[in-house]
Amino acid sequence: MKKTAGIHHITAIVGHPQENVDFYAGILGLRLIKKTVNFDDPSTYHLYFGNEGGEPGTIITFFPWPDASQGKIGGGQVGVTTYAIPVGALSYWEERLSKFSIVFEKTTRFGETYLQFEDYHGLQLELVERASGQLNNWTFGEVTTDVAIKGFGGSILYSTNPESTMKTLQETMGLEKIAEENDLIRLKSYGEIDNIIDVKKSSLPYGRMGVGTVHHIAWRAEDDQDHLEWQEYVQGKGYGVTEVKDRNYFNAFTLENMVGFYLKLRQIHPVLLMMNPMKPWGKN
């Protein structure tokens, strides 16, 4: 049975690009590691943020569409994107979010404390202290290495068919169920970071793609050969897969018809992306 290490990157839709940069670089202190264009829509920027090296598991990317309508978070989508911070850094982030008038809520689940808030365009985010994962050496003003976001802690998935989503994550992606609490089931991959997925057990109606929603979540493969093996593996599980596409900085294929997971823009079926490790970022 194949197993993914965890999340490679998450891509979301936002509004004005400058507001996007102001929030993720200016407030959250992430590094703007790439400004390029959307392969499927070259008139749209594609902005990449991550840790100092832009490593898999730290990268969030955005399609900024200033004139797009607001989306609606619901079934078939990533409901909340989780960031991991160093142990002891939560109080710093309470102060920092307050400094920039970012309203947050302090909650607990599975024995962990979270700061939940949203970005300028409505994307749902949260911070949680995690001991695992390397520190982020990228610093920005008051955001120093000892408090900087390390990368993804995971995400909360909303599904129209939670049982089908759980089955795919466990039997195809190789995640393991480690806990259950209230309306959530917690799964874990073997990576040190970007490895926790919470799935909401209640079925939700489909969300609507637009500003403030996640476009897709991408999972990691080890290398080019492993990537091709994943393609064959998931096809053998009965899923439709696309050809491997070269996206300059990584290769990708799409897994189609994964009922109840999440939606990709301009497709009526939920999809999954599998990614290989990052290629050099280059200059374009």
Side-chain angles (χ1 to χ4, degrees):
M1 179 181 180
K2 291 189 72 61
K3 295 183 178 182
T4 180
I7 298 170
H8 182 282
H9 72 263
I10 290 176
T11 295
I13 301 171
V14 292
H16 197 281
Q18 186 59 58
E19 293 174 345
N20 181 242
V21 173
D22 289 346
F23 190 89
Y24 287 87
I27 297 178
L28 296 189
L30 298 177
R31 181 186 178 192
L32 176 59
I33 54 178
K34 195 71 184 174
K35 182 180 75 172
T36 182
V37 296
N38 184 341
F39 277 92
D40 300 316
D41 179 13
S43 65
T44 298
Y45 282 126
H46 194 179
L47 305 179
Y48 293 67
F49 298 84
N51 70 352
E52 184 180 39
E55 296 170 281
T58 75
I59 305 156
I60 190 165
T61 85
F62 296 96
F63 299 140
W65 291 342
D67 298 323
S69 60
Q70 192 71 24
K72 180 180 179 182
I73 299 173
Q77 293 180 333
V78 173
V80 183
T81 297
T82 308
Y83 274 119
I85 57 176
V87 173
L90 203 68
S91 59
Y92 166 83
W93 282 101
E94 288 185 73
E95 294 178 4
R96 185 164 180 82
L97 293 176
S98 296
K99 175 182 177 180
F100 288 96
S101 301
I102 305 299
V103 177
F104 63 86
E105 181 180 1
K106 200 170 184 177
T107 66
T108 60
R109 69 175 186 275
F110 297 107
E112 297 180 308
T113 302
Y114 293 80
L115 297 182
Q116 295 185 326
F117 55 100
E118 61 182 47
D119 71 7
Y120 289 150
H121 301 127
L123 194 69
Q124 301 298 301
L125 305 169
E126 62 184 10
L127 300 173
V128 61
E129 293 181 347
R130 295 264 169 85
S132 60
Q134 296 182 351
L135 293 177
N136 179 6
N137 290 322
W138 180 256
T139 61
F140 177 79
E142 299 173 350
V143 185
T144 52
T145 298
D146 58 321
V147 297
I149 290 172
K150 295 192 284 186
F152 293 122
S155 64
I156 303 176
L157 301 185
Y158 295 166
S159 178
T160 62
N161 188 337
E163 290 185 5
S164 176
T165 296
M166 288 289 299
K167 181 178 179 180
T168 299
L169 291 172
Q170 291 177 283
E171 297 182 9
T172 301
M173 304 307 302
L175 276 68
E176 297 181 5
K177 178 181 175 180
I178 60 171
E180 188 169 347
E181 179 181 282
N182 300 324
D183 195 32
L184 293 171
I185 295 175
R186 173 156 286 191
L187 305 175
K188 186 177 182 180
S189 65
Y190 70 83
E192 289 189 358
I193 201 170
D194 59 73
N195 60 352
I196 299 292
I197 300 294
D198 292 340
V199 180
K200 191 172 179 63
K201 293 191 290 184
S202 300
S203 177
L204 295 174
Y206 278 117
R208 183 180 66 251
M209 193 63 67
V211 172
T213 65
V214 169
H215 182 276
H216 65 260
I217 184 172
W219 304 89
R220 273 196 277 169
E222 295 299 323
D223 51 35
D224 287 340
Q225 181 59 40
D226 186 47
H227 193 233
L228 292 174
E229 290 173 3
W230 268 107
Q231 185 190 36
E232 181 179 356
Y233 177 72
V234 297
Q235 190 171 30
K237 290 281 188 177
Y239 297 105
V241 297
T242 66
E243 73 279 8
V244 174
K245 297 181 179 181
D246 185 348
R247 295 306 198 184
N248 279 355
Y249 317 116
F250 47 77
N251 293 336
F253 72 84
T254 300
L255 185 158
E256 300 175 337
N257 299 328
M258 195 160 76
V259 177
F261 198 173
Y262 64 92
L263 296 175
K264 183 178 178 182
L265 187 68
R266 297 189 302 274
Q267 292 192 8
I268 62 173
H269 298 297
V271 299
L272 175 70
L273 296 179
M274 287 293 301
M275 302 294 183
N276 69 356
M278 280 291 175
K279 298 180 180 179
W281 286 111
K283 299 181 179 179
N284 298 313

